[in-house]
Amino acid sequence: MQADIVTIFPDYFAPLDLSLIGKARAAGLVDWRVHDLRAWTHDRHRTVDDTPYGGGAGMVMKPEPWGEAFDAVLGRADAPPTLVVPTPSGEPFRQATAHEFAALPHLLFACGRYEGIDARVVEHARTRMPVREVSLGDYVLNGGEVAVLAILEAVVRLLPGVVGNPASLVEESHSVAGAGWLEYPVYTKPLSWRGLDVPPVLLSGHHGQVAAWRAEQSLERTRARRPDLLPDTPPAAEIGDAELA
Ligand SMILES: Nc1ccc2ncsc2c1
């Protein structure tokens, strides 16, 4: 997989080399290039933003540098990459999205800052490559860089050969294979720690009983913390009605 990242804070991505993702790069399983958006500015102050049309607080990222940055990446690519734009107004980025992205040969990440990127950048990009605007959750960061780090980790770890034991990718929270329930609690030595003991079933050697206990734990956690992940969960209003009935 090839990833290009365009940002005004290229140093944000230095930690990528420290992690498992860095090992994947060394093994040739993934490569990424980080580009400073200001390389495509032409004024003395290397300006990347301006005031918003229609008024309002904050600044908006100018379209010209982004257009030239995408021109440069596309000009070097054999085929158009998929443009991934982290934004609070995007589609939810889920484990299924990570699997989709892991199957793509080339991702181009645009890290917005300020109040966002001039909308014409994505509008124009859609005429020359697939575009996915994605949200990591209902909260706002100061920019897309942290989101891209999270997305890259979620995606690259799914690439064949990156994670030592592929089986460990199966029983994870939100794992597609695990029906998307939350992960069960895990334990290791010592048997007793500060008066807290490992659940005896995990010491039984009964794989069937262990599997059943883990499934029950996953279901219990999912019911408690993420009922929205369970099938046939009526909207909250209906749940209220049912309880009142
Ligand atoms: N550009 C930008 C600004 C805020 C934000 N929050 C989550 S992703 C994102 C992207």
Side-chain angles (χ1 to χ4, degrees), residues 13 80 132 141 222 228 244:
F13 296 94
R132 301 290 291 271
L141 303 168
T222 310
D228 58 297
L244 291 175

Side-chain angles (χ1 to χ4, degrees), residues 3-23 25 31-37 66 84-86 107-113 136 141 143-153 156:
D4 284 276
I5 304 165
V6 182
T7 170
I8 59 172
F9 292 118
D11 293 349
Y12 242 103
F13 296 94
L16 280 177
D17 282 316
L18 304 176
S19 63
L20 186 71
I21 312 301
K23 292 190 176 65
R25 187 191 218 177
D31 192 21
W32 63 81
R33 291 192 198 98
V34 183
H35 310 274
D36 185 343
L37 180 67
W66 286 104
V84 178
V85 185
L107 298 175
L108 169 54
F109 290 97
C111 300
R113 278 267 145 182
L136 296 194
L141 303 168
E145 286 79 8
V146 167
V148 169
L149 283 169
I151 293 167
L152 264 177
E153 176 146 329
V156 172

Side-chain angles (χ1 to χ4, degrees), residues 86-88 111-114 116 134 139-144 147:
T87 168
C111 300
R113 278 267 145 182
Y114 310 107
V134 295
Y139 52 84
V140 182
L141 303 168
N142 284 332

